[in-house]
Coordinates of all heavy atoms in Angstrom, one line a residue:
M1 N 0.9 -1.2 0.0 CA 0.0 0.0 0.0 C 0.9 1.2 0.0 O 1.8 1.4 0.8 CB -0.9 -0.1 1.2 CG -2.0 1.1 1.3 SD -3.1 1.0 2.6 CE -4.4 0.0 1.9
T2 N 0.6 2.2 -0.9 CA 1.4 3.3 -1.0 C 1.0 4.4 -0.1 O -0.1 4.2 0.6 CB 1.4 3.9 -2.5 OG1 0.1 4.4 -2.7 CG2 1.8 2.9 -3.5
A3 N 1.7 5.5 0.1 CA 1.3 6.6 0.9 C 0.0 7.2 0.5 O -0.9 7.6 1.3 CB 2.4 7.6 1.0
I4 N -0.2 7.3 -0.8 CA -1.4 7.9 -1.3 C -2.6 7.0 -1.0 O -3.6 7.5 -0.6 CB -1.4 8.1 -2.9 CG1 -0.4 9.3 -3.1 CG2 -2.7 8.4 -3.5 CD1 -0.1 9.4 -4.7
Q5 N -2.4 5.7 -1.2 CA -3.5 4.7 -0.8 C -3.8 4.7 0.7 O -5.0 4.7 1.1 CB -3.1 3.3 -1.3 CG -3.1 3.2 -2.8 CD -2.5 1.9 -3.2 OE1 -1.5 1.4 -2.8 NE2 -3.1 1.3 -4.3
A6 N -2.8 4.8 1.5 CA -3.0 4.9 2.9 C -3.8 6.2 3.3 O -4.7 6.1 4.1 CB -1.6 4.8 3.7
G7 N -3.4 7.4 2.7 CA -4.1 8.6 2.9 C -5.6 8.5 2.6 O -6.5 8.9 3.2
L8 N -5.8 7.9 1.3 CA -7.2 7.7 0.9 C -8.0 6.8 1.8 O -9.2 7.1 2.0 CB -7.2 7.2 -0.6 CG -6.8 8.1 -1.6 CD1 -6.7 7.5 -3.0 CD2 -7.7 9.4 -1.7
T9 N -7.4 5.8 2.3 CA -8.1 4.9 3.2 C -8.4 5.6 4.5 O -9.6 5.5 5.0 CB -7.2 3.7 3.6 OG1 -6.8 3.0 2.4 CG2 -7.8 2.7 4.5
V10 N -7.5 6.4 5.1 CA -7.8 7.2 6.3 C -9.0 8.2 6.1 O -9.9 8.3 6.8 CB -6.6 7.9 6.8 CG1 -6.9 8.9 7.9 CG2 -5.6 6.8 7.4
L11 N -8.9 8.8 4.9 CA -9.9 9.8 4.5 C -11.3 9.1 4.4 O -12.3 9.6 4.9 CB -9.6 10.5 3.2 CG -10.6 11.5 2.7 CD1 -10.7 12.7 3.7 CD2 -10.2 12.0 1.4
T12 N -11.3 8.0 3.8 CA -12.6 7.2 3.6 C -13.1 6.8 5.0 O -14.3 6.9 5.3 CB -12.3 5.8 2.8 OG1 -12.0 6.2 1.6 CG2 -13.6 5.0 2.8
V13 N -12.2 6.3 5.9 CA -12.7 5.9 7.2 C -13.2 7.0 8.0 O -14.2 6.9 8.7 CB -11.4 5.2 7.9 CG1 -11.7 5.1 9.4 CG2 -11.0 3.9 7.3
L14 N -12.7 8.2 7.8 CA -13.2 9.4 8.5 C -14.5 10.0 8.0 O -15.3 10.6 8.7 CB -12.1 10.4 8.8 CG -11.0 10.0 9.5 CD1 -9.9 11.1 9.5 CD2 -11.3 9.6 11.0
V15 N -14.7 10.0 6.7 CA -15.8 10.6 6.0 C -17.0 9.7 5.8 O -18.2 10.2 6.0 CB -15.3 11.1 4.7 CG1 -16.5 11.7 3.8 CG2 -14.3 12.2 4.8
V16 N -16.9 8.4 5.4 CA -18.0 7.6 5.2 C -19.0 7.6 6.3 O -20.2 7.6 6.1 CB -17.6 6.2 4.6 CG1 -18.7 5.3 4.6 CG2 -17.0 6.4 3.3
P17 N -18.6 7.3 7.6 CA -19.6 7.3 8.6 C -20.5 8.5 8.7 O -21.7 8.4 9.0 CB -18.7 7.2 9.9 CG -17.5 6.5 9.5 CD -17.2 7.1 8.1
Y18 N -19.9 9.7 8.4 CA -20.8 10.9 8.5 C -21.7 10.9 7.3 O -23.0 11.3 7.5 CB -20.0 12.1 8.5 CG -19.2 12.3 9.8 CD1 -17.9 12.0 9.9 CD2 -19.9 12.7 11.0 CE1 -17.2 12.2 11.1 CE2 -19.2 12.8 12.1 CZ -17.9 12.5 12.2 OH -17.2 12.7 13.4
I19 N -21.4 10.5 6.2 CA -22.2 10.4 5.0 C -23.3 9.4 5.2 O -24.5 9.8 5.0 CB -21.4 10.0 3.7 CG1 -20.5 11.2 3.4 CG2 -22.4 9.8 2.5 CD1 -19.5 10.8 2.3
V20 N -23.0 8.3 5.7 CA -24.0 7.3 5.9 C -25.0 7.8 7.1 O -26.2 7.6 7.0 CB -23.5 5.9 6.3 CG1 -24.4 4.9 6.8 CG2 -22.7 5.4 5.1
Q21 N -24.5 8.4 8.0 CA -25.4 8.9 9.1 C -26.3 9.9 8.7 O -27.5 10.0 9.1 CB -24.5 9.4 10.4 CG -25.3 9.8 11.5 CD -25.9 8.8 12.3 OE1 -25.5 7.6 12.1 NE2 -26.8 9.0 13.2
A22 N -25.8 10.8 7.8 CA -26.6 11.9 7.2 C -27.8 11.2 6.4 O -28.9 11.6 6.5 CB -25.8 12.8 6.3
I23 N -27.5 10.2 5.6 CA -28.5 9.5 4.8 C -29.5 8.8 5.8 O -30.7 8.9 5.6 CB -27.9 8.6 3.8 CG1 -27.1 9.4 2.8 CG2 -28.9 7.7 3.1 CD1 -26.2 8.5 2.0
K24 N -29.0 8.2 6.7 CA -29.8 7.3 7.7 C -30.7 8.3 8.4 O -31.9 7.9 8.7 CB -28.8 6.7 8.6 CG -29.7 5.9 9.8 CD -28.6 5.3 10.7 CE -29.3 4.9 11.9 NZ -28.4 4.5 13.1
T25 N -30.2 9.5 8.8 CA -31.1 10.4 9.6 C -32.3 10.8 8.7 O -33.4 10.9 9.3 CB -30.3 11.7 9.8 OG1 -29.2 11.3 10.6 CG2 -31.1 12.7 10.6
K26 N -32.2 10.9 7.4 CA -33.3 11.4 6.7 C -34.1 10.2 6.0 O -35.3 10.3 5.7 CB -32.8 12.3 5.6 CG -32.1 13.5 6.1 CD -33.1 14.4 6.7 CE -32.4 15.6 7.2 NZ -33.4 16.6 8.0
A27 N -33.5 9.1 5.7 CA -34.2 8.1 4.8 C -34.3 6.7 5.1 O -35.0 6.0 4.5 CB -33.6 8.2 3.4
M28 N -33.4 6.1 6.1 CA -33.3 4.7 6.2 C -33.1 4.3 7.6 O -32.6 5.1 8.4 CB -32.3 4.1 5.3 CG -30.9 4.5 5.6 SD -29.7 3.8 4.5 CE -29.9 4.9 3.2
G29 N -33.3 3.0 7.8 CA -33.0 2.5 9.2 C -31.6 2.1 9.4 O -30.8 2.1 8.5
G30 N -31.3 1.6 10.6 CA -29.9 1.2 10.9 C -29.3 0.0 10.0 O -28.2 0.0 9.7
N31 N -30.1 -1.1 9.9 CA -29.5 -2.2 9.1 C -29.2 -1.8 7.7 O -28.2 -2.2 7.1 CB -30.4 -3.4 9.3 CG -29.8 -4.7 9.0 OD1 -28.6 -4.8 9.3 ND2 -30.5 -5.6 8.5
T32 N -30.1 -1.1 7.1 CA -29.9 -0.6 5.7 C -28.7 0.3 5.6 O -27.8 0.2 4.7 CB -31.2 0.1 5.1 OG1 -32.2 -0.8 5.3 CG2 -31.0 0.4 3.7
A33 N -28.6 1.2 6.6 CA -27.4 2.1 6.6 C -26.1 1.4 6.8 O -25.1 1.7 6.2 CB -27.6 3.1 7.8
R34 N -26.2 0.2 7.6 CA -24.9 -0.5 7.7 C -24.4 -1.1 6.4 O -23.3 -1.1 6.1 CB -25.2 -1.6 8.8 CG -24.0 -2.4 9.2 CD -24.2 -3.4 10.3 NE -24.6 -2.7 11.6 CZ -25.7 -2.7 12.2 NH1 -26.8 -3.4 11.7 NH2 -25.9 -2.0 13.2
W35 N -25.4 -1.7 5.7 CA -25.1 -2.4 4.5 C -24.6 -1.3 3.4 O -23.8 -1.5 2.6 CB -26.2 -3.2 3.9 CG -26.2 -4.5 4.6 CD1 -27.1 -4.9 5.6 CD2 -25.3 -5.5 4.5 NE1 -26.8 -6.2 6.1 CE2 -25.6 -6.5 5.5 CE3 -24.1 -5.7 3.8 CZ2 -25.0 -7.8 5.6 CZ3 -23.4 -6.9 4.0 CH2 -23.8 -8.0 4.9
L36 N -25.3 -0.1 3.4 CA -24.8 1.0 2.6 C -23.4 1.4 2.9 O -22.6 1.6 2.0 CB -25.8 2.2 2.7 CG -25.4 3.4 1.9 CD1 -25.5 3.1 0.4 CD2 -26.2 4.6 2.3
A37 N -23.1 1.5 4.2 CA -21.8 1.8 4.6 C -20.7 0.8 4.1 O -19.7 1.1 3.6 CB -21.7 2.0 6.1
I38 N -21.1 -0.5 4.2 CA -20.2 -1.5 3.7 C -20.0 -1.4 2.2 O -18.9 -1.5 1.7 CB -20.7 -2.9 4.1 CG1 -20.6 -3.1 5.7 CG2 -20.0 -4.1 3.4 CD1 -21.2 -4.3 6.2
A39 N -21.1 -1.2 1.5 CA -21.0 -1.0 0.0 C -20.2 0.1 -0.4 O -19.3 0.1 -1.2 CB -22.4 -1.0 -0.6
V40 N -20.4 1.3 0.2 CA -19.7 2.5 0.0 C -18.1 2.3 0.3 O -17.3 2.7 -0.5 CB -20.3 3.7 0.6 CG1 -19.4 5.0 0.5 CG2 -21.6 4.0 0.0
S41 N -17.9 1.7 1.5 CA -16.6 1.4 1.8 C -15.9 0.5 0.9 O -14.6 0.7 0.6 CB -16.6 0.7 3.3 OG -17.3 1.5 4.2
A42 N -16.5 -0.5 0.4 CA -15.9 -1.5 -0.5 C -15.6 -0.8 -1.9 O -14.5 -0.9 -2.5 CB -16.8 -2.7 -0.8
L43 N -16.6 0.1 -2.4 CA -16.3 0.8 -3.5 C -15.1 1.8 -3.3 O -14.2 1.9 -4.2 CB -17.5 1.7 -3.9 CG -17.3 2.6 -5.1 CD1 -17.1 1.8 -6.4 CD2 -18.6 3.5 -5.3
C44 N -15.0 2.5 -2.2 CA -13.9 3.4 -1.9 C -12.6 2.5 -1.8 O -11.5 3.1 -2.3 CB -14.1 4.1 -0.6 SG -15.4 5.5 -0.8
G45 N -12.7 1.4 -1.3 CA -11.5 0.5 -1.2 C -11.0 0.1 -2.6 O -9.8 0.1 -2.8
A46 N -11.8 -0.2 -3.5 CA -11.5 -0.5 -4.8 C -10.9 0.7 -5.5 O -9.9 0.5 -6.3 CB -12.8 -1.0 -5.6
L47 N -11.5 1.9 -5.3 CA -11.0 3.1 -6.0 C -9.6 3.4 -5.3 O -8.7 3.8 -6.1 CB -11.9 4.2 -5.8 CG -13.2 4.1 -6.5 CD1 -14.2 5.3 -6.1 CD2 -13.0 4.1 -8.0
T48 N -9.4 3.2 -4.0 CA -8.1 3.3 -3.4 C -7.0 2.3 -3.9 O -5.9 2.8 -4.2 CB -8.3 3.1 -1.9 OG1 -9.1 4.0 -1.3 CG2 -7.0 3.2 -1.2
A49 N -7.5 1.1 -4.2 CA -6.5 0.1 -4.8 C -6.0 0.7 -6.2 O -4.9 0.4 -6.5 CB -7.2 -1.2 -4.9
M50 N -6.9 1.3 -6.9 CA -6.6 1.8 -8.2 C -5.8 3.2 -8.2 O -5.4 3.6 -9.3 CB -7.8 1.9 -9.1 CG -8.4 0.6 -9.4 SD -9.7 0.6 -10.6 CE -10.9 1.6 -9.8
A51 N -5.6 3.7 -7.1 CA -4.9 5.0 -6.9 C -3.5 5.0 -7.5 O -3.1 6.0 -8.1 CB -4.9 5.5 -5.5
G52 N -2.9 3.9 -7.4 CA -1.4 3.9 -8.0 C -1.4 3.1 -9.3 O -0.4 2.6 -9.6
G53 N -2.5 3.0 -9.9 CA -2.6 2.1 -11.1 C -3.4 0.9 -10.8 O -3.5 0.5 -9.6
I54 N -3.9 0.2 -11.8 CA -4.7 -0.9 -11.6 C -3.9 -2.2 -11.1 O -2.9 -2.5 -11.8 CB -5.5 -1.4 -12.9 CG1 -6.5 -0.3 -13.2 CG2 -6.2 -2.7 -12.6 CD1 -7.3 -0.5 -14.6
P55 N -4.1 -2.7 -9.9 CA -3.3 -3.7 -9.3 C -3.4 -5.0 -10.1 O -4.5 -5.4 -10.6 CB -3.8 -4.0 -7.9 CG -4.7 -2.7 -7.6 CD -5.2 -2.2 -8.9
T56 N -2.3 -5.7 -10.3 CA -2.3 -7.0 -11.0 C -2.4 -8.1 -10.0 O -2.6 -9.3 -10.3 CB -1.0 -7.1 -11.9 OG1 0.1 -7.0 -11.0 CG2 -1.0 -6.1 -12.9
D57 N -2.2 -7.8 -8.7 CA -2.1 -8.8 -7.7 C -3.4 -8.8 -6.9 O -3.9 -7.6 -6.5 CB -1.0 -8.5 -6.7 CG -0.8 -9.6 -5.6 OD1 -1.4 -10.7 -5.8 OD2 -0.1 -9.3 -4.7
A58 N -4.1 -9.9 -6.8 CA -5.4 -10.0 -6.0 C -5.3 -9.5 -4.6 O -6.2 -8.9 -4.0 CB -6.0 -11.4 -6.1
S59 N -4.1 -9.7 -3.9 CA -3.9 -9.3 -2.6 C -4.0 -7.8 -2.4 O -4.5 -7.3 -1.3 CB -2.6 -9.9 -2.0 OG -1.5 -9.3 -2.7
A60 N -3.6 -7.0 -3.4 CA -3.7 -5.6 -3.3 C -5.1 -5.2 -3.3 O -5.5 -4.2 -2.6 CB -2.9 -5.0 -4.5
W61 N -6.0 -5.8 -4.1 CA -7.4 -5.5 -4.1 C -8.0 -5.8 -2.7 O -8.7 -5.0 -2.1 CB -8.1 -6.3 -5.1 CG -7.9 -5.8 -6.5 CD1 -7.1 -6.5 -7.4 CD2 -8.5 -4.7 -7.3 NE1 -7.1 -5.8 -8.7 CE2 -7.9 -4.7 -8.6 CE3 -9.3 -3.7 -6.9 CZ2 -8.2 -3.8 -9.5 CZ3 -9.7 -2.7 -7.8 CH2 -9.1 -2.8 -9.0
V62 N -7.7 -7.0 -2.2 CA -8.3 -7.5 -0.9 C -7.8 -6.5 0.2 O -8.6 -6.1 1.0 CB -7.9 -8.9 -0.7 CG1 -8.4 -9.4 0.7 CG2 -8.6 -9.8 -1.8
T63 N -6.6 -6.2 0.1 CA -6.0 -5.3 1.3 C -6.7 -4.0 1.3 O -7.2 -3.6 2.4 CB -4.5 -5.2 1.1 OG1 -3.9 -6.4 1.2 CG2 -3.9 -4.2 2.2
S64 N -6.8 -3.3 0.2 CA -7.5 -2.0 0.1 C -8.9 -2.1 0.5 O -9.4 -1.2 1.2 CB -7.3 -1.4 -1.3 OG -5.9 -1.1 -1.5
I65 N -9.6 -3.0 -0.1 CA -11.1 -3.1 0.1 C -11.4 -3.4 1.6 O -12.2 -2.7 2.3 CB -11.8 -4.1 -0.8 CG1 -11.7 -3.6 -2.2 CG2 -13.2 -4.5 -0.3 CD1 -12.1 -4.6 -3.3
F66 N -10.7 -4.4 2.2 CA -11.0 -4.8 3.5 C -10.4 -3.7 4.6 O -11.0 -3.5 5.6 CB -10.5 -6.1 3.9 CG -11.3 -7.2 3.4 CD1 -11.0 -8.0 2.4 CD2 -12.5 -7.4 4.0 CE1 -11.8 -9.1 2.0 CE2 -13.4 -8.4 3.6 CZ -13.1 -9.2 2.6
A67 N -9.4 -3.0 4.2 CA -8.9 -1.9 5.1 C -10.0 -0.8 5.2 O -10.2 -0.3 6.3 CB -7.6 -1.3 4.5
C68 N -10.6 -0.5 4.0 CA -11.6 0.5 4.1 C -12.9 0.1 4.8 O -13.4 0.8 5.6 CB -12.0 1.0 2.6 SG -10.7 2.0 1.8
V69 N -13.4 -1.2 4.4 CA -14.6 -1.7 5.0 C -14.4 -1.8 6.6 O -15.2 -1.3 7.4 CB -15.0 -3.1 4.4 CG1 -16.1 -3.7 5.2 CG2 -15.4 -2.8 3.0
G70 N -13.4 -2.4 6.9 CA -13.1 -2.6 8.4 C -12.9 -1.4 9.1 O -13.4 -1.1 10.2
G71 N -12.1 -0.4 8.5 CA -11.9 0.9 9.1 C -13.1 1.7 9.3 O -13.2 2.4 10.4
V72 N -14.0 1.7 8.3 CA -15.2 2.4 8.4 C -16.0 1.9 9.5 O -16.7 2.5 10.3 CB -16.0 2.5 7.0 CG1 -17.4 2.9 7.2 CG2 -15.2 3.4 6.1
Q73 N -16.2 0.5 9.6 CA -17.0 -0.1 10.6 C -16.5 0.2 12.0 O -17.2 0.5 12.9 CB -17.1 -1.6 10.4 CG -17.8 -2.0 9.1 CD -19.2 -1.5 9.1 OE1 -20.0 -1.7 10.0 NE2 -19.6 -0.8 8.1
V74 N -15.2 0.2 12.2 CA -14.6 0.5 13.5 C -14.7 2.0 13.9 O -15.1 2.3 15.0 CB -13.0 0.2 13.5 CG1 -12.4 0.8 14.7 CG2 -12.8 -1.3 13.5
A75 N -14.5 2.9 12.8 CA -14.8 4.3 13.1 C -16.2 4.6 13.4 O -16.5 5.4 14.3 CB -14.3 5.1 11.8
Y76 N -17.2 4.0 12.7 CA -18.5 4.3 12.9 C -18.9 3.8 14.3 O -19.6 4.5 15.1 CB -19.4 3.6 11.9 CG -20.9 4.0 12.0 CD1 -21.4 5.2 11.6 CD2 -21.8 3.1 12.6 CE1 -22.6 5.5 11.7 CE2 -23.1 3.5 12.7 CZ -23.6 4.7 12.4 OH -24.8 5.0 12.5
A77 N -18.5 2.5 14.7 CA -18.8 2.1 16.1 C -18.2 3.0 17.1 O -18.8 3.3 18.2 CB -18.3 0.6 16.2
S78 N -17.0 3.5 16.9 CA -16.3 4.3 17.9 C -17.0 5.7 17.9 O -17.2 6.2 19.0 CB -14.8 4.6 17.5 OG -14.2 3.3 17.5
F79 N -17.3 6.3 16.8 CA -18.0 7.6 16.8 C -19.4 7.5 17.4 O -19.7 8.4 18.2 CB -18.1 8.1 15.3 CG -16.8 8.5 14.7 CD1 -16.8 8.6 13.3 CD2 -15.6 8.6 15.3 CE1 -15.6 8.9 12.6 CE2 -14.6 9.0 14.7 CZ -14.5 9.1 13.3
K80 N -20.1 6.4 17.1 CA -21.4 6.2 17.6 C -21.4 6.1 19.2 O -22.3 6.7 19.9 CB -22.0 5.0 17.0 CG -23.5 4.9 17.2 CD -24.3 5.9 16.4 CE -25.7 5.7 16.5 NZ -26.5 6.8 16.0
S81 N -20.4 5.3 19.6 CA -20.4 5.0 21.1 C -20.1 6.3 21.9 O -20.5 6.4 23.1 CB -19.3 4.0 21.4 OG -18.0 4.5 21.2
V82 N -19.5 7.3 21.4 CA -19.2 8.5 22.2 C -20.1 9.7 21.7 O -19.9 10.8 22.2 CB -17.7 8.9 22.1 CG1 -16.7 7.9 22.7 CG2 -17.3 9.2 20.6
G83 N -21.0 9.5 20.8 CA -21.9 10.5 20.3 C -21.5 11.4 19.3 O -22.1 12.5 19.1
V84 N -20.3 11.2 18.7 CA -19.7 12.1 17.8 C -20.6 12.3 16.5 O -20.9 13.5 16.0 CB -18.3 11.7 17.4 CG1 -17.7 12.6 16.2 CG2 -17.4 11.8 18.6
T85 N -21.1 11.2 16.0 CA -21.9 11.3 14.7 C -23.2 12.0 15.0 O -23.6 12.8 14.2 CB -22.2 9.9 14.2 OG1 -22.7 9.1 15.2 CG2 -21.0 9.2 13.6
D86 N -23.8 11.8 16.2 CA -25.1 12.4 16.5 C -24.9 13.9 16.7 O -25.6 14.7 16.1 CB -25.8 11.7 17.7 CG -26.2 10.4 17.4 OD1 -26.5 10.1 16.2 OD2 -26.3 9.5 18.2
K87 N -24.0 14.3 17.6 CA -23.8 15.7 17.9 C -23.3 16.5 16.7 O -23.8 17.5 16.4 CB -22.8 15.8 19.1 CG -23.3 15.3 20.4 CD -22.3 15.4 21.5 CE -22.8 14.6 22.7 NZ -21.7 14.6 23.7
W88 N -22.2 16.1 16.1 CA -21.7 16.8 14.9 C -22.7 16.8 13.7 O -22.9 17.9 13.1 CB -20.3 16.2 14.5 CG -19.2 16.6 15.4 CD1 -19.3 16.9 16.7 CD2 -17.8 16.4 15.2 NE1 -18.1 17.1 17.2 CE2 -17.1 16.8 16.4 CE3 -17.1 16.0 14.1 CZ2 -15.8 16.7 16.5 CZ3 -15.7 16.0 14.2 CH2 -15.1 16.3 15.4
L89 N -23.2 15.7 13.5 CA -24.1 15.7 12.3 C -25.4 16.4 12.6 O -25.7 17.2 11.7 CB -24.5 14.2 12.1 CG -25.3 14.0 10.8 CD1 -24.5 14.4 9.6 CD2 -25.8 12.6 10.7
D90 N -25.9 16.4 13.8 CA -27.1 17.3 14.0 C -26.7 18.8 13.8 O -27.6 19.5 13.3 CB -27.6 17.0 15.4 CG -28.3 15.7 15.6 OD1 -28.6 15.1 14.6 OD2 -28.5 15.2 16.7
A91 N -25.5 19.1 14.3 CA -25.1 20.5 14.2 C -24.9 20.9 12.7 O -25.4 21.9 12.3 CB -23.9 20.8 14.9
L92 N -24.3 20.0 11.9 CA -24.1 20.3 10.5 C -25.4 20.3 9.7 O -25.6 21.0 8.8 CB -23.2 19.2 9.8 CG -21.7 19.3 10.2 CD1 -21.0 18.1 9.7 CD2 -21.1 20.5 9.8
L93 N -26.4 19.3 10.1 CA -27.7 19.3 9.3 C -28.5 20.6 9.6 O -29.3 21.0 8.9 CB -28.4 18.0 9.7 CG -27.9 16.7 9.1 CD1 -28.6 15.5 9.6 CD2 -27.8 16.8 7.6
A94 N -28.3 21.1 10.9 CA -29.1 22.3 11.3 C -28.6 23.5 10.6 O -29.3 24.6 10.7 CB -28.9 22.4 12.8
L95 N -27.5 23.5 10.1 CA -27.0 24.7 9.3 C -27.8 25.2 8.2 O -28.0 26.3 7.9 CB -25.5 24.5 8.8 CG -24.4 24.4 9.9 CD1 -23.1 24.1 9.2 CD2 -24.3 25.7 10.6
G96 N -28.5 24.2 7.5 CA -29.4 24.5 6.4 C -30.8 24.9 6.8 O -31.5 25.4 6.0
D97 N -31.1 24.8 8.1 CA -32.5 25.1 8.5 C -32.5 26.5 9.0 O -31.8 26.9 10.0 CB -33.0 24.1 9.7 CG -33.2 22.7 9.1 OD1 -33.4 22.5 8.0 OD2 -33.1 21.8 9.9
V98 N -33.3 27.4 8.5 CA -33.5 28.7 8.9 C -34.9 28.7 9.6 O -35.9 28.5 9.1 CB -33.6 29.7 7.7 CG1 -33.7 31.0 8.2 CG2 -32.2 29.6 6.9
K99 N -34.8 29.1 11.0 CA -35.9 29.1 11.7 C -36.6 30.5 11.5 O -36.0 31.5 11.6 CB -35.7 28.9 13.3 CG -35.1 27.5 13.5 CD -34.9 27.3 14.9 CE -34.3 25.9 15.1 NZ -34.1 25.6 16.5
K100 N -38.0 30.4 11.2 CA -38.7 31.7 11.1 C -39.3 32.0 12.3 O -39.9 31.2 13.1 CB -39.9 31.4 10.0 CG -39.3 31.1 8.6 CD -40.4 30.9 7.6 CE -39.7 30.5 6.3 NZ -40.8 30.5 5.3
E101 N -39.2 33.3 12.6 CA -39.8 33.8 13.8 C -41.2 34.0 13.6 O -41.7 34.6 12.6 CB -39.1 35.1 14.2 CG -37.7 34.9 14.6 CD -37.0 36.2 15.0 OE1 -37.7 37.1 15.5 OE2 -35.8 36.2 14.9
G102 N -42.1 33.6 14.6 CA -43.5 33.7 14.5 C -44.2 34.7 15.3 O -44.1 35.7 15.7

């Protein structure tokens, strides 16, 4: 895994939980959101594997994909357990709501 691939993996691990939580807040339940996170993580892992060119070795694909999927699941569980996703996401989602005074 190159430095660019490692950086993309870390970025994926930190960003995907927030995206999935935002979608979950508005449109889906927990189990569906979990499978969406796994699918998005796998896609990001595949794209990360191709960051340095298309790998010819199957282990490069597996390493990148499972690093992203596992990392996102660990990050989401960690963020959720301390309330980071709820607090930060609620604050970010509230930025678009303008309250009208009555």
Side-chain angles (χ1 to χ4, degrees):
M1 186 174 271
T2 66
I4 292 172
Q5 290 171 320
L8 288 172
T9 301
V10 171
L11 182 66
T12 297
V13 166
L14 295 176
V15 172
V16 169
Y18 289 106
I19 294 169
V20 171
Q21 183 71 15
I23 294 168
K24 177 183 162 189
T25 300
K26 299 292 183 184
M28 69 182 74
N31 202 29
T32 305
R34 183 173 297 112
W35 283 107
L36 176 65
I38 290 170
V40 170
S41 305
L43 175 64
C44 289
L47 293 174
T48 298
M50 293 188 296
I54 297 177
T56 57
D57 185 17
S59 65
W61 288 102
V62 172
T63 300
S64 292
I65 290 170
F66 280 109
C68 286
V69 171
V72 166
Q73 294 301 307
V74 168
Y76 186 78
S78 300
F79 293 162
K80 191 75 172 166
S81 69
V82 295
V84 172
T85 52
D86 292 333
K87 291 176 188 173
W88 286 16
L89 188 64
D90 288 344
L92 289 172
L93 291 175
L95 289 176
D97 294 337
V98 178
K99 294 183 180 181
K100 296 182 181 181
E101 295 181 26

